[in-house]
C-alpha cells in the first residue's frame, strides 16, 4: 500500500517570501500521479498543482512549483512571493496511474498548516 | 451554483438523532466520494459511487449509510452516531474511473458535532 508523509505539521512564512513544504511517499509503482491540495479556512479543498511521475519536468502553476525527485520519492511544493491568501492547510496526495481496481483512490498525507505573516 | 455543494455546512446532533448530509455536483461528473476529515489525521475515504453504483465501502460502521440516487446527488444518512464521529465530512466528485487523470473536486464540507 502507498503511504504519504508530510513531516512538517506547521510552517510559517513572511509575506512576499518563499516557502517550501515537504512531502515524501512510498510506493512500488513506477507510474502514478502526485498532487498538492490547498484547504483554506473556509474549508473547500482545491487542487494547486499535479505531477505525472512519467514526466521529468517539474510542474509549475504561477507562483507554485514542485521539486519532484522520483528516485528519492520526494515531492515538495515551493510557494514564491507568498501572499496572505496562501494561508491554508496543504495536503500532498498520491494516486496510481492505472484506472483498474481501487487505483482511483487518493492517498493523503496529514497536511501542513501554512501561516503567512504580514 | 457551480462545483460541488454540501448542506448543511454545520450540524450538531445527539447520539440518538437521525440526520442526513447532502452533496450535489454541477460538473457533469459520474463518480462521487465521501471522506471523513479528523484533526491531525489524513483524509479517510468512506464511500465511492461510480455511475450510481457503490464501488467502495472502506469498512465504515453501519451507522453511516450512503445513498446515490443519481450521478449528481450523494447523501450520507446518519443514525445513532458516537462522539468520535464528530469531524468534517467532505464530498468530492470526479469524471469517472474510465482512465486518465479524473481529478477530484471537493465540496466545502459539513462540520458535524455529535453530543
Amino acid at each position: 500500500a502507498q503511504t504519504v508523509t508530510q513531516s512538517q505539521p506547521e510552517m510559517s512564512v513572511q509575506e512576499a517570501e518563499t516557502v517550501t513544504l515537504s512531502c515524501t511517499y512510498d510506493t512500488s509503482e513506477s507510474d502514478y500521479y502526485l498532487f498538492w491540495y490547498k484547504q483554506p479556512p473556509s474549508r473547500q479543498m482545491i487542487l494547486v498543482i499535479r505531477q505525472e511521475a512519467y514526466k521529468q519536468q517539474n510542474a509549475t502553476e504561477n507562483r507554485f512549483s514542485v521539486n519532484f525527485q522520483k528516485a528519492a520519492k520526494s515531492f515538495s511544493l515551493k510557494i514564491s512571493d507568498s501572499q496572505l491568501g496562501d494561508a491554508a492547510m496543504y495536503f500532498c496526495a498520491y494516486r496510481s496511474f492505472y484506472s483498474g481496481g481501487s487505483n482511483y483512490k487518493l492517498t493523503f498525507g496529514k497536511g501542513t498548516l501554512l501561516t503567512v505573516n504580514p | 451554483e457551480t462545483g460541488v455543494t454540501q448542506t448543511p455546512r454545520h450540524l450538531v446532533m445527539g447520539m440518538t438523532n437521525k440526520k442526513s448530509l447532502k452533496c450535489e455536483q454541477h460538473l457533469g461528473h459520474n463518480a462521487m466520494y465521501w471522506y471523513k476529515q479528523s484533526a491531525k489525521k489524513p483524509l479517510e475515504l468512506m464511500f465511492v459511487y461510480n455511475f450510481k453504483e457503490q464501488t467502495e465501502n472502506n469498512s465504515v460502521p453501519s451507522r453511516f449509510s450512503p445513498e446515490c440516487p443519481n450521478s449528481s446527488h450523494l447523501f450520507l444518512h446518519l443514525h445513532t452516531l458516537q462522539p468520535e464521529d464528530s469531524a468534517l465530512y467532505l464530498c468530492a466528485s470526479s469524471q469517472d474511473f474510465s482512465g486518465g487523470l479524473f481529478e477530484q473536486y471537493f465540496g466545502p464540507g459539513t462540520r458535524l458535532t455529535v453530543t
Side-chain angles (χ1 to χ4, degrees), chain A residues 35-38 45-47 89-91 106 108, chain B residues 104 106:
Chain A
F35 306 86
W36 278 100
Y37 280 88
K38 170 186 177 182
M45 195 174 309
I46 57 174
L47 180 66
M89 183 73 83
Y90 286 82
F91 293 94
L106 282 173
F108 286 88
Chain B
Q104 292 185 27
F106 288 82

Side-chain angles (χ1 to χ4, degrees), chain A residues 35-79:
Chain A
F35 306 86
W36 278 100
Y37 280 88
K38 170 186 177 182
Q39 188 179 38
S42 64
R43 305 199 302 263
Q44 189 132 21
M45 195 174 309
I46 57 174
L47 180 66
V48 174
I49 198 166
R50 63 174 177 260
Q51 174 81 41
E52 291 90 337
Y54 57 85
K55 291 186 178 179
Q56 293 185 340
Q57 187 172 4
N58 289 326
T60 299
E61 289 287 341
N62 300 314
R63 297 182 295 106
F64 298 86
S65 61
V66 300
N67 183 6
F68 173 49
Q69 301 290 327
K70 191 173 184 180
K73 296 180 181 175
S74 171
F75 182 60
S76 61
L77 175 69
K78 185 172 82 171
I79 306 174

